[in-house]
Amino acid sequence: MTSINSTLNGASPTSQWNNLPWVTIDKEVKRLQMRIAKATKEGKKGKVKALQRLLTCSFYSKCLAVRRVVRNKGANTPGVDGILWRTPCQRMKAVETLKRRGYSPQPLKRIHIPKKNPKAGKRPLSIPCMKDRAMQALWQLALDPIAEEMADPNSYGFRSKRSVADAIEQCFIVLSRKVSAKWVLEGDIKACFDRLSHSWLEENIPMDKTILKKFLKAGFMEKGVIYSITKGAAQGGVTSPTITLIALSGLEKILKDIFKREKVNVVVYADDFIITGPNKELLENKVIPIIESFLKERGLELNREKSKITHVEKGFNFLGHSIRWYRRGLLTMPSKANVKNFLREVRRTIKSNQTTKTGDLIKQLNPKILGWAYFFRHSAASKTFSYVDKEIYEALSRWMKKRHPTKRKTWRNKKYFRQVGSRNWQFSAKIKDKDNIISYLDLAAAKRVPIRRHIKIRGETTPYDSQFKEYFEKRDKSKNAPPGNRW
């Protein structure tokens, strides 16, 4: 820290920000976080508070908090004050404003965004000001190690190093054997973020209570009117996901303690969860009442209309996947609804770019196709990938016909498709560089993304425990390893 101060003293704010040693900063903050996690594991609450205060007062942590705010997707969306931190000078000065004493958050800017299902209407999103986001990011650094220690082993949402693929693989593990439970409770919580009890959060979230109350009760502004908040954690707040993670932690342990030999397994991702059971009666008469009691304590409610109990032979949808038992065993595949929504988005993109250059259209489509395919690459998705590629080809055929209504099909195919190896129908665009050298930009194909079995993260691991450092290093390397060479 002394060496950094000596380097930055006397320099302009712009120069200070540009010369920050981020590798050192990341390392030092991670070291403090690991100390917080260790103290939490040992039950030393006083030490946890002291370390949290040390971390939130640290210059390093404040720099990381500002960097997170200016690098995320909402960096160009201001709060009610209209302020953005675009320049290095603004960012460096922002670091100096992150102080506990005298801090008073501004109301959140309330907007409404469409849900994934257009028929479901819109959901509210609350946008804090840049300073409030940075303050939340700062306290998030101190809260995350504790949340990791408190979280259930099979909770995968809102946690670093964990993904949807881990949750789906855990579903496969607990349902794929012949002796596995064959009934599944698909749980749905009513407006989880909006209904969390403030009194429960203030009593149970392990962080500075004064700061926590200010985050929770900041209120929001909509159409020039300020509204107060008496419950819930704002969707759009930096700390809200971690607060929700802590609030939903503990359910798995309760159920495991009660049903030790009943094949009751819990898989949670954010506020979505499934619970397995040996029969429908146990889930309906014993498990659901326990869940409702657990949620009620936190101000939440199980949505009985959307929650349902299903046999695995009929199958169920979870996190965009269809999970179902067939004759040859359990298979996880992209759900029909997910495929339908994805193709709707692709067709909308193609249709809205009728006069766009072919290369520009391909640049818009490739991230969508590859992102979707890589999301499902760990499932039995080969046939689905081929179907998706066929539907995209047909959408492009309509796009070409509308662009060139008087041309023959052979002319259109010759203009937009080329042969690549054994592939005769590669949709491509010619691109010339500044030296007039011609190259080709090809449209991505889902079926060319290799299917690869995902290795689930071990349930007890956290990135803040030193004993798992080597494990995570190997795991990170394995993600980039070619098929067949994974550890």
Side-chain angles (χ1 to χ4, degrees):
M1 183 69 179
T2 305
S3 59
I4 289 185
N5 284 339
S6 60
T7 303
L8 299 181
N9 283 341
S12 66
T14 298
S15 179
Q16 289 177 353
W17 181 264
N18 291 334
N19 291 325
L20 286 171
W22 292 111
V23 174
T24 301
I25 290 173
D26 284 327
K27 183 178 178 181
E28 290 301 313
V29 172
K30 182 69 176 289
R31 184 178 63 83
L32 259 180
Q33 288 178 310
M34 292 175 77
R35 290 179 64 190
I36 292 173
K38 183 180 179 182
T40 303
K41 195 172 185 177
E42 294 172 350
K44 300 178 179 178
K45 294 183 180 180
K47 188 173 182 180
V48 170
K49 289 183 179 180
L51 289 170
Q52 280 187 312
R53 187 168 183 82
L54 180 63
L55 187 144
T56 54
C57 292
S58 163
F59 173 76
Y60 287 167
S61 301
K62 293 177 181 179
C63 290
L64 276 184
V66 171
R67 185 177 68 163
R68 175 177 177 176
V69 166
V70 300
R71 292 176 69 176
N72 68 12
K73 292 182 180 179
N76 294 320
T77 305
V80 294
D81 60 359
I83 294 175
L84 292 174
W85 297 336
R86 297 186 184 276
T87 66
C89 179
Q90 291 172 330
R91 296 168 184 178
M92 199 66 224
K93 289 182 178 179
V95 172
E96 301 171 0
T97 66
L98 303 184
K99 298 177 181 179
R100 180 184 182 281
R101 179 175 294 180
Y103 170 66
S104 179
Q106 296 191 60
L108 311 171
K109 182 170 76 173
R110 175 65 62 90
I111 62 172
H112 296 270
I113 61 175
K115 293 184 178 180
K116 289 183 179 180
N117 183 357
K119 295 180 181 179
K122 298 183 177 181
R123 66 181 178 90
L125 184 68
S126 301
I127 303 174
C129 299
M130 296 295 283
K131 180 179 177 180
D132 296 331
R133 281 180 239 175
M135 281 293 288
Q136 289 191 34
L138 178 62
W139 280 95
Q140 163 72 10
L141 290 171
L143 188 60
D144 196 51
I146 303 172
E148 282 287 340
E149 289 296 329
M150 296 177 67
D152 292 328
N154 291 302
S155 175
Y156 300 96
F158 305 143
R159 299 180 67 181
S160 58
K161 304 293 185 180
R162 299 191 177 216
S163 65
V164 169
D166 289 311
I168 297 300
E169 184 62 21
Q170 178 62 16
C171 291
F172 184 85
I173 289 170
V174 299
L175 292 169
S176 60
R177 296 179 181 180
K178 290 184 179 180
V179 296
S180 298
K182 293 295 184 286
W183 290 90
V184 176
L185 166 64
E186 304 170 59
D188 184 85
I189 303 173
K190 282 186 179 179
C192 181
F193 277 90
D194 299 330
R195 296 192 177 194
L196 281 168
S197 166
H198 280 189
S199 59
W200 189 93
L201 294 176
E202 290 167 13
E203 187 177 341
N204 293 276
I205 299 299
M207 64 175 282
D208 187 302
K209 304 305 178 186
T210 302
I211 293 294
L212 177 61
K213 286 180 182 178
K214 289 181 178 180
F215 287 163
L216 294 175
K217 305 200 179 283
F220 65 90
M221 179 182 288
E222 188 171 16
K223 296 180 180 179
V225 180
I226 297 177
Y227 298 88
S228 60
I229 297 177
T230 57
K231 60 182 179 180
Q235 294 191 49
V238 179
T239 56
S240 296
T242 306
I243 287 173
T244 305
L245 171 63
I246 294 174
L248 297 179
S249 297
L251 178 61
E252 182 177 357
K253 185 179 185 305
I254 291 172
L255 292 174
K256 285 288 186 183
D257 289 343
I258 296 173
F259 305 103
K260 294 181 179 178
R261 300 181 182 179
E262 297 288 351
K263 299 179 183 177
V264 173
N265 297 283
V266 183
V267 182
V268 182
Y269 190 92
D271 57 345
D272 295 322
F273 65 89
I274 63 124
I275 298 174
T276 69
N279 55 68
K280 185 177 182 179
E281 291 71 25
L282 183 138
L283 291 173
E284 194 167 22
N285 300 327
K286 295 183 179 180
V287 172
I288 287 181
I290 294 171
I291 296 170
E292 288 180 326
S293 175
F294 174 87
L295 294 176
K296 186 177 180 180
E297 187 182 347
R298 291 150 176 79
L300 302 175
E301 183 182 354
L302 186 69
N303 191 332
R304 283 273 190 160
E305 294 178 358
K306 293 186 177 180
S307 299
K308 54 186 177 180
I309 300 173
T310 313
H311 196 279
V312 290
E313 289 184 358
K314 289 188 177 181
F316 63 95
N317 293 337
F318 186 54
L319 304 177
H321 291 71
S322 172
I323 304 173
R324 185 177 176 184
W325 184 277
Y326 296 86
R327 285 184 180 180
R328 53 179 173 167
L330 191 79
L331 291 180
T332 62
M333 299 178 288
S335 69
K336 290 182 180 180
N338 187 283
V339 174
K340 185 178 179 179
N341 291 336
F342 169 68
L343 287 175
R344 184 191 295 119
E345 175 63 24
V346 170
R347 292 185 187 115
R348 187 186 295 118
T349 302
I350 294 172
K351 193 173 181 179
S352 62
N353 285 276
Q354 197 62 54
T355 59
T356 303
K357 290 183 179 179
T358 308
D360 292 337
L361 176 61
I362 292 175
K363 287 178 182 178
Q364 290 186 53
L365 291 176
N366 278 356
K368 297 179 187 293
I369 296 169
L370 290 176
W372 182 85
Y374 272 90
F375 182 81
F376 288 106
R377 69 182 300 195
H378 306 298
S379 62
S382 296
K383 289 184 179 179
T384 307
F385 285 178
S386 296
Y387 168 75
V388 164
D389 288 338
K390 178 180 75 69
E391 291 295 311
I392 293 174
Y393 167 80
E394 291 178 358
L396 289 171
S397 295
R398 292 190 292 271
W399 176 82
M400 292 185 295
K401 189 174 182 178
K402 197 169 183 180
R403 279 170 73 99
H404 309 285
T406 61
K407 299 293 184 181
R408 292 186 177 184
K409 185 177 181 180
T410 53
W411 183 92
R412 293 195 297 266
N413 289 342
K414 187 176 180 181
K415 177 175 175 62
Y416 291 102
F417 292 94
R418 71 187 183 99
Q419 183 176 359
V420 180
S422 60
R423 302 195 304 272
N424 296 322
W425 299 100
Q426 176 61 61
F427 189 82
S428 304
K430 287 184 180 180
I431 297 176
K432 288 184 180 180
D433 61 14
K434 59 182 180 181
D435 298 321
N436 287 326
I437 298 175
I438 296 176
S439 59
Y440 291 91
L441 178 63
D442 295 336
L443 181 71
K447 66 182 178 182
R448 291 203 291 272
V449 173
I451 302 297
R452 188 167 74 175
R453 183 69 179 269
H454 179 73
I455 299 176
K456 189 187 80 71
I457 191 171
R458 284 159 53 187
E460 73 277 12
T461 60
T462 80
Y464 301 110
D465 194 328
S466 58
Q467 67 174 312
F468 299 119
K469 181 180 179 182
E470 186 177 349
Y471 169 81
F472 280 110
E473 288 176 353
K474 288 182 178 179
R475 187 172 176 82
D476 290 340
K477 289 179 181 178
S478 74
K479 288 182 180 179
N480 300 318
N485 291 334
R486 306 186 76 201
W487 61 286

